[in-house]
Amino acid sequence: MSDNQSWNSSGSEEDLEPREEFGPPTGVAEFSGVLSKWTNYIHGWQDRWVVLKNNTLSYYKSQDETEYGCRGSLCLSKAVITSHEFDECRLDVSVNDSVWYLRAQDPEHRNQWIDSIELHRSIREGRREKGGVQGTVIIPLPLADPGYGSESSLRRHGSMLSLTSATSGYSATSASSFKKGHSLTEKLAEMETFRDILCRQVDTLQKYFDSCADAVSKDELQRDRIVEDDEDDFPNTGADEEFLCSNREKLFQSLSQKGINGIDFKGEAITFKATTAGILATLSHCIELMVKREDTWQKRLDREMEKRRRIEEGYKSALNELKKKSHFGGPDYEEGPNSLINEDEFFDAVEAALDRQDKIEEQTEKIRIQRSSPVPPPDVYSRSGTHRFSDKVEEMVQNHMTYSLQDVGGDANWQLVIEEGEMKVYRREVEENGIVLDPLKATISVKGVTGHEVCHFFWDTAYRNDWETTIENFNVVETLSENAAIVYQTHKRVWPASQRDVLYLSAMRKITASNENDTDTWLVCNFSVDHDDAQPSSRCVRAKINIAMICQTLVSPPEGDRELSRDNILCRITYVANVNPGGWAPASVLRAVAKREYPKFLKRFTSYVQEKTAGKPILF
């Protein structure tokens, strides 16, 4: 082992990581600026002051609050920076389970941030490589297993090794060899020792046999030559004996020169036999140990596979639970063309949010302020006015009077989706470019109120917050006349759907009956318009609407000499709505929400009108 290498003497894996001590990277400037950071599904994107310094990304609420400490930071050494596939201004920075969703003001600004982050990381990696060459690094080297033929553990035995234990038969192995964890290792070491002994014995015997063969060959050749020379002479017994003795001496001299003299051939044969028996016995023991080890490892494998199966099931279960939650933790699950949330999950989240809003409305008892908005004389509502939208208002009113009051009971295109008492709700399914544009029509009869009263509370913005629970805020952008105004309102956000706003002209009209036997019709129409003081913004999706509340009052004569009371009047309401929600909400979700929310709105609003008019003079 070289001098510049070392390892942990205990053989454990502790302290085997490379040791490095580097300071912060130098030669790269600090980079900072304003980025939009995703906070949560309630507050969405918020501007934050982000600072890139010393391979660390930190953020502050604003530049003025940097002296109070950062609100969060990420080390970029192991960070993964991802450019969003569809949003050209967005980058995601993730370290393990922590993810920052960031948006720049434009793609060029985003690229500057990505280049700066990569520059910091590259300088850090360069210093790490430099430090790895010059610094002191503890490198783990593989240790020889003490039971598998390492020189420190094997003892080499000579050819005259006592093999009493080996010659005693295959039962010579001690039972304790099966109790130790390294019994197979020890048996393999014995096998290597036996192999060395057997090789030396084979070499010794081979040398002896080769020498004997050489000596016998030479002796036979010499005898053949003598026989040829004296083939005609009579044999001499004394000479033959002398010849044999002479050749025997020469044979032993030849063997002695080759180092074979003095070998105990009987002992070598016994040792050879004992070695072979020891090898066979050890092989038998190794097979038994391997079978036991195989059973043990098979059980371990089965346990590990069962553990892996449970972990995989737990992972799938946790993933399914995460998908069921109404908060997914990132902007990728918001409403959009590339949202990761499917229709079922989208509907579950919207329904859960609407249920929470309903519960809050039930638990929070509204303290309604008694307002007394002045009611203009009826003649005011008989004309459209002289403002710039008067022709458009007149056109809308005539269309609603012509088409909205038509009976839809026999029309196959209209589907009856809700029928509760006096209320019926119809819908006609229409889609354009994947956006749901279903026209909706509802009819309901309300006792004790007039059409003038219903339209008054529906049109007058002074009462809007009393009965409308889906609006976050609203304001009158422009008052066009005594019976027309342009209104901007934003609706409460229902996650994961985007927040919606709407800019519309609201006008209230009275349509005088042409026949004295017919009743007058009161109407409020709301339709989308454009205005310079309320331009669309990226914060909300601008919806387009065309809505009308058409009311007719039916009066039944009182009995006898009794005065006319609210028990004798009935208001027949026709409510029509054509809404283009914009955005990318799934069609099935929009239809399900409309089917749920429109009937609730009608019941809530009509109950409010009955409550406000109870005990007050009738307003025809």
Side-chain angles (χ1 to χ4, degrees):
M1 183 177 63
S2 60
D3 294 338
N4 62 346
Q5 293 174 331
S6 62
W7 60 78
N8 192 314
S9 60
S10 64
S12 66
E13 296 182 354
E14 297 178 355
D15 300 331
L16 296 183
E17 294 294 328
R19 298 174 182 171
E20 56 177 351
E21 294 182 0
F22 306 133
T26 58
V28 58
E30 175 183 331
F31 193 73
S32 60
V34 176
L35 290 176
S36 296
K37 183 178 182 296
W38 174 262
T39 53
N40 52 52
Y41 73 90
I42 297 177
H43 298 97
W45 297 97
Q46 298 291 329
D47 289 343
R48 295 290 183 260
W49 182 257
V50 183
V51 176
L52 174 59
K53 182 179 180 182
N54 295 341
N55 203 42
T56 301
L57 195 66
S58 308
Y59 80 91
Y60 306 81
K61 186 174 182 181
S62 64
Q63 187 177 4
D64 298 333
E65 295 187 5
T66 54
E67 59 184 7
Y68 301 118
C70 68
R71 294 199 166 196
S73 62
L74 288 176
C75 179
L76 299 177
S77 299
K78 297 183 179 180
V80 178
I81 289 75
T82 307
S83 300
H84 198 265
E85 184 178 1
F86 305 104
D87 191 344
E88 295 181 351
C89 298
R90 178 175 152 191
L91 66 150
D92 300 344
V93 183
S94 60
V95 179
N96 297 328
D97 296 332
S98 179
V99 183
W100 286 9
Y101 305 101
L102 305 173
R103 291 188 83 254
Q105 59 186 7
D106 51 51
E108 182 180 357
H109 194 201
R110 183 196 70 170
N111 294 335
Q112 291 178 0
W113 273 99
I114 294 176
D115 294 341
S116 299
I117 292 173
E118 294 298 338
L119 178 61
H120 274 252
R121 296 179 62 183
S122 62
I123 292 179
R124 178 73 176 182
E125 293 297 329
R127 290 179 59 84
R128 179 178 289 109
E129 293 177 2
K130 182 178 179 181
V133 173
Q134 297 179 354
T136 301
V137 182
I138 297 179
I139 303 174
L141 298 178
L143 298 176
D145 193 324
Y148 283 89
S150 63
E151 296 181 359
S152 60
S153 63
L154 297 183
R155 293 188 177 90
R156 307 300 182 183
H157 301 280
S159 61
M160 302 304 293
L161 175 68
S162 174
L163 298 174
T164 307
S165 60
T167 58
S168 60
Y170 297 117
S171 63
T173 302
S174 171
S176 63
S177 64
F178 296 100
K179 298 178 182 179
K180 298 181 180 179
H182 296 284
S183 56
L184 181 60
T185 304
E186 294 170 357
K187 289 301 176 183
L188 291 175
E190 290 181 14
M191 288 287 295
E192 188 172 351
T193 303
F194 282 132
R195 185 203 64 178
D196 293 343
I197 296 173
L198 190 61
C199 289
R200 284 195 290 270
Q201 290 174 343
V202 170
D203 291 340
T204 301
L205 291 176
Q206 187 63 47
K207 289 179 182 179
Y208 173 73
F209 293 145
D210 292 343
S211 298
C212 288
D214 291 342
V216 170
S217 298
K218 290 180 180 179
D219 182 56
E220 290 179 351
L221 180 61
Q222 188 174 3
R223 287 184 62 183
D224 291 341
R225 289 177 180 175
I226 294 173
V227 170
E228 291 176 358
D229 294 340
D230 301 334
E231 59 182 358
D232 296 332
D233 298 337
F234 291 98
N236 190 333
T237 305
D240 289 341
E241 292 179 357
E242 183 178 354
F243 172 77
L244 292 173
C245 291
S246 175
N247 285 341
R248 189 181 298 114
E249 290 178 359
K250 291 179 181 179
L251 178 60
F252 280 111
Q253 287 177 2
S254 176
L255 295 176
S256 180
Q257 291 174 0
K258 295 180 178 292
I260 307 302
N261 192 22
I263 294 178
D264 184 3
F265 296 108
K266 186 176 182 180
E268 287 292 339
I270 295 174
T271 305
F272 186 81
K273 183 178 180 181
T275 304
T276 306
I279 290 175
L280 295 176
T282 306
L283 280 175
S284 177
H285 299 153
C286 287
I287 292 173
E288 293 179 11
L289 290 173
M290 288 178 182
V291 171
K292 285 197 171 186
R293 287 285 181 91
E294 183 180 10
D295 294 340
T296 302
W297 284 109
Q298 185 63 44
K299 292 179 181 178
R300 289 187 181 181
L301 178 61
D302 293 341
R303 288 197 297 268
E304 291 297 326
M305 292 181 66
E306 178 64 21
K307 186 185 297 183
R308 177 176 179 176
R309 185 187 63 80
R310 291 197 299 266
I311 292 174
E312 289 178 349
E313 290 179 354
Y315 169 76
K316 292 179 181 178
S317 176
L319 191 62
N320 292 333
E321 289 296 326
L322 179 63
K323 289 182 178 180
K324 291 179 182 178
K325 292 183 178 179
S326 60
H327 58 283
F328 289 79
D332 293 324
Y333 294 93
E334 283 192 304
E335 173 192 347
N338 305 298
S339 177
L340 299 180
I341 189 171
N342 59 42
E343 288 193 16
D344 292 338
E345 295 165 345
F346 196 104
F347 176 74
D348 291 342
V350 170
E351 187 177 40
L354 292 175
D355 288 340
R356 287 194 295 270
Q357 288 186 5
D358 292 344
K359 189 173 296 184
I360 292 174
E361 290 295 329
E362 292 174 1
Q363 295 175 352
T364 305
E365 183 179 356
K366 282 193 173 183
I367 303 176
R368 295 192 176 115
I369 302 175
Q370 296 298 326
R371 302 179 180 90
S372 57
S373 178
V375 179
D379 293 340
V380 172
Y381 301 107
S382 300
R383 54 186 180 274
S384 298
T386 57
H387 52 82
R388 63 184 184 278
F389 289 104
S390 57
D391 293 340
K392 184 67 175 177
V393 171
E394 188 63 29
E395 178 185 351
M396 287 291 181
V397 169
Q398 293 303 322
N399 285 338
H400 285 300
M401 292 298 297
T402 302
Y403 301 108
S404 298
L405 292 178
Q406 291 180 355
D407 186 19
V408 297
D411 193 338
N413 293 324
W414 289 91
Q415 302 174 5
L416 179 64
V417 292
I418 296 290
E419 184 174 7
E420 296 181 8
E422 295 292 330
M423 180 177 63
K424 294 181 180 180
V425 180
Y426 300 88
R427 180 180 67 198
R428 189 174 73 242
E429 293 189 359
V430 177
E431 286 191 30
E432 183 177 331
N433 298 326
I435 300 177
V436 176
L437 304 176
D438 295 352
L440 183 138
K441 184 174 183 177
T443 59
I444 185 173
S445 297
V446 184
K447 292 182 178 181
V449 295
T450 66
H452 188 180
E453 292 169 335
V454 171
C455 289
H456 172 68
F457 286 106
F458 184 72
W459 178 80
D460 197 336
T461 57
Y463 305 99
R464 186 68 52 84
N465 281 329
D466 289 346
W467 55 267
E468 180 61 273
T469 61
T470 64
I471 291 179
E472 185 175 85
N473 56 65
F474 72 93
N475 64 286
V476 177
V477 178
E478 182 181 355
T479 301
L480 299 174
S481 64
E482 291 182 327
N483 65 338
I486 297 177
V487 181
Y488 172 77
Q489 65 187 29
T490 57
H491 292 264
K492 295 177 182 178
R493 185 184 180 189
V494 181
W495 195 90
S498 301
Q499 189 171 20
R500 259 76 177 176
D501 64 357
V502 59
L503 179 68
Y504 61 94
L505 187 152
S506 182
M508 181 173 170
R509 287 290 305 279
K510 175 187 176 183
I511 310 300
T512 305
S514 57
N515 189 338
E516 62 179 8
N517 295 326
D518 296 333
T519 59
D520 296 337
T521 301
W522 289 85
L523 178 147
V524 175
C525 62
N526 299 335
F527 58 92
S528 294
V529 293
D530 295 325
H531 199 282
D532 293 337
D533 294 339
Q535 296 292 335
S537 66
S538 59
R539 179 172 173 267
C540 298
V541 175
R542 178 65 56 90
K544 302 292 184 179
I545 64 171
N546 183 6
I547 296 173
M549 178 82 74
I550 307 171
C551 303
Q552 294 175 321
T553 306
L554 304 179
V555 181
S556 60
E559 296 179 359
D561 296 334
R562 294 183 180 180
E563 294 183 357
L564 184 69
S565 67
R566 291 191 175 274
D567 295 333
N568 302 114
I569 59 177
L570 177 72
C571 181
R572 187 168 61 197
I573 302 174
T574 301
Y575 179 80
V576 292
N578 292 270
V579 179
N580 181 350
W584 301 270
S588 61
V589 176
L590 290 175
R591 291 190 172 108
V593 172
K595 183 178 178 181
R596 163 188 167 138
E597 293 300 312
Y598 276 115
K600 287 171 54 179
F601 151 71
L602 288 173
K603 288 188 288 186
R604 182 174 61 247
F605 172 69
T606 54
S607 297
Y608 170 77
V609 176
Q610 287 177 322
E611 177 186 340
K612 292 291 292 183
T613 56
K616 294 183 178 179
I618 300 174
L619 182 64
F620 286 99

